[in-house]
Amino acid sequence: MKFLKLSIVLFIILGIGIVFQQKVSANSDYTKIDITKSESSDNKSQNDKSKVQVVNSQADNNDNKDEKQLEIIKEEKVKEEQLKAKKDKLENDIKSYLGNNINNIGLSYYDITSGEQININSDKTFLAASTVKVQLNMVLADMFKSGQASENEQLTFTSGDYEGGTGILQDTDMSKPYAVTTLSDYSIIHSDNIATNMLMRRIGYENFRTLVDKKLGYTTDHSNNYITAAQETTILTQLYRNKDNNAYYSHIIDIMKNTDFHDRLDKYIDTKIVAHKIGNYSDYVNDAGIVYANKPYVISIYTKGVSNADEVIAHISKMVYDYQNEK
């Protein structure tokens, strides 16, 4: 009996131990789960922090880029304002220099690279005089390219071609034919009037004026040898750009650099960089050309009744040249 009671007591004690162990084990599992959850939560928090740091870094980089772009824009704006101020000063200096002559002059300056312009009476009409010989040679060059004329042609002098003034043909035997390219050279280099008249006869005056109008994009007055400074600048810009890759355009520029006359646009500038054509008729004194400075530009100056006009043109040309090289 005692043994039975003792066995029962031991069984009860053993049962209580098993239950206690299961509870302890269960609590241990809970602890493990909590620890795992905690570790997972910590890792997620660190990842989130890393992502935030990356986003912040990217935002900082974007802010820096925006600041740099704004700085560049500000610098460009300052430069533009400075250039405008310099250009305005040049224009005012030219007007001041001209004084009472300002209404007797037409001036057009055009920076081929930037498109910057100065215009003083640039739409005022003048007689082109011999500056028209540039247009004449460009039309001739166009005819060469299109096959309407040939560089191998020869022309014979007629009495109607004769004209005094500038040139060298007046003192030569004009009974022989002349190559059309020789006449072209003479019309620019020596401003030869007879050579010009022979070329004009070959092309035809009305045809010539119509083809010049086509270059300008509108119809002009054909009743006389009229021109404006703005029109001449347009023509010379086309000569420079040579959009049709006409080889003879380059030749025209070369002979314009080797003209006999250096008392105006290139008087105070290296003659080797100035491709120009002068013109005189009555009290009209003109010069127009392309100046191959560090930044090439076109300048056309026409005058009527201006005292010492050669020097006036030369002085203005130097003012523009100095301004252009200081950019």
Side-chain angles (χ1 to χ4, degrees):
M1 189 70 176
K2 289 181 180 179
F3 176 78
L4 179 61
K5 289 181 180 179
L6 180 62
S7 295
I8 290 170
V9 172
L10 289 173
F11 178 76
I12 291 169
I13 292 170
L14 181 61
I16 291 170
I18 291 170
V19 171
F20 178 76
Q21 186 177 3
Q22 287 177 344
K23 287 184 178 181
V24 171
S25 177
N27 288 335
S28 177
D29 289 341
Y30 289 141
T31 303
K32 288 179 181 178
I33 291 170
D34 288 343
I35 290 171
T36 301
K37 286 182 178 179
S38 177
E39 290 176 350
S40 176
S41 177
D42 289 344
N43 290 336
K44 184 176 182 300
S45 176
Q46 289 178 355
N47 288 337
D48 289 343
K49 287 180 180 179
S50 296
K51 289 179 180 178
V52 170
Q53 289 174 349
V54 169
V55 170
N56 289 337
S57 177
Q58 289 175 343
D60 290 341
N61 288 336
N62 289 335
D63 289 342
N64 290 335
K65 287 180 181 178
D66 290 341
E67 289 177 3
K68 287 180 180 179
Q69 288 176 346
L70 287 172
E71 194 65 31
I72 291 171
I73 291 171
K74 287 179 182 178
E75 289 176 359
E76 289 178 349
K77 188 174 181 180
V78 169
K79 287 180 181 178
E80 287 177 4
E81 291 174 350
Q82 290 174 341
L83 283 174
K84 185 180 183 304
K86 288 180 179 179
K87 189 198 76 147
D88 291 344
K89 182 180 184 304
L90 172 64
E91 184 171 348
N92 290 331
D93 287 348
I94 292 172
K95 289 178 178 178
S96 177
Y97 171 74
L98 287 171
N100 294 332
N101 283 322
I102 193 166
N103 293 323
N104 299 320
I105 190 170
L107 181 147
S108 171
Y109 149 83
Y110 177 70
D111 184 318
I112 295 172
T113 304
S114 69
E116 183 180 69
Q117 301 180 52
I118 291 177
N119 294 290
I120 300 174
N121 304 321
S122 62
D123 291 326
K124 187 180 180 71
T125 301
F126 294 83
L127 284 178
S130 288
T131 63
V132 75
K133 295 169 184 176
V134 176
Q135 301 168 32
L136 177 69
N137 277 276
M138 289 175 67
V139 168
L140 180 65
D142 294 341
M143 292 174 68
F144 287 158
K145 187 172 179 62
S146 66
Q148 298 176 59
S150 170
E151 295 180 44
N152 297 320
E153 284 185 42
Q154 292 191 330
L155 301 178
T156 302
F157 169 81
T158 66
S159 60
D161 298 326
Y162 187 84
E163 185 178 346
T166 55
I168 61 172
L169 288 181
Q170 296 97 326
D171 302 322
T172 63
D173 178 10
M174 290 182 286
S175 62
K176 63 178 182 178
Y178 287 90
V180 69
T181 51
T182 298
L183 296 173
S184 171
D185 288 353
Y186 285 3
S187 70
I188 296 291
I189 296 172
H190 310 299
S191 197
D192 196 293
N193 290 329
I194 293 176
T196 300
N197 291 339
M198 292 172 72
L199 292 173
M200 188 68 78
R201 176 166 53 85
R202 168 64 180 84
I203 296 170
Y205 178 75
E206 277 303 321
N207 183 45
F208 162 69
R209 292 304 301 261
T210 299
L211 292 172
V212 171
D213 287 350
K214 186 177 179 181
K215 289 182 179 297
L216 293 172
Y218 54 87
T219 302
T220 60
D221 184 352
H222 295 187
S223 65
N224 208 333
N225 186 21
Y226 294 129
I227 195 71
T228 70
Q231 290 169 348
E232 187 68 16
T233 291
T234 297
I235 295 293
L236 290 170
T237 301
Q238 291 178 10
L239 177 64
Y240 175 90
R241 287 181 172 155
N242 192 9
K243 67 176 183 178
D244 295 326
N245 295 317
N246 191 325
Y248 206 78
Y249 273 28
S250 298
H251 178 71
I252 294 171
I253 290 172
D254 286 341
I255 58 179
M256 287 173 68
K257 288 180 179 179
N258 288 286
T259 179
D260 294 337
F261 308 95
H262 305 289
D263 61 339
R264 298 172 204 179
L265 285 183
D266 60 347
K267 182 175 182 178
Y268 301 119
I269 299 173
D270 183 0
T271 59
K272 294 177 183 178
I273 65 169
V274 184
H276 71 117
K277 185 70 194 72
I278 68 157
N280 293 342
Y281 183 80
S282 184
D283 58 348
Y284 292 89
V285 179
N286 316 316
D287 203 354
I290 306 165
V291 181
Y292 289 81
N294 293 334
K295 296 178 180 178
Y297 62 94
V298 175
I299 181 168
S300 303
I301 304 177
Y302 288 81
T303 74
K304 182 182 187 297
V306 174
S307 177
N308 200 20
D310 294 351
E311 182 61 29
V312 170
I313 293 173
H315 186 82
I316 293 173
S317 177
K318 184 63 164 60
M319 292 170 72
V320 173
Y321 175 77
D322 289 343
Y323 160 77
Q324 190 76 0
N325 279 345
E326 288 173 1
K327 283 186 180 181

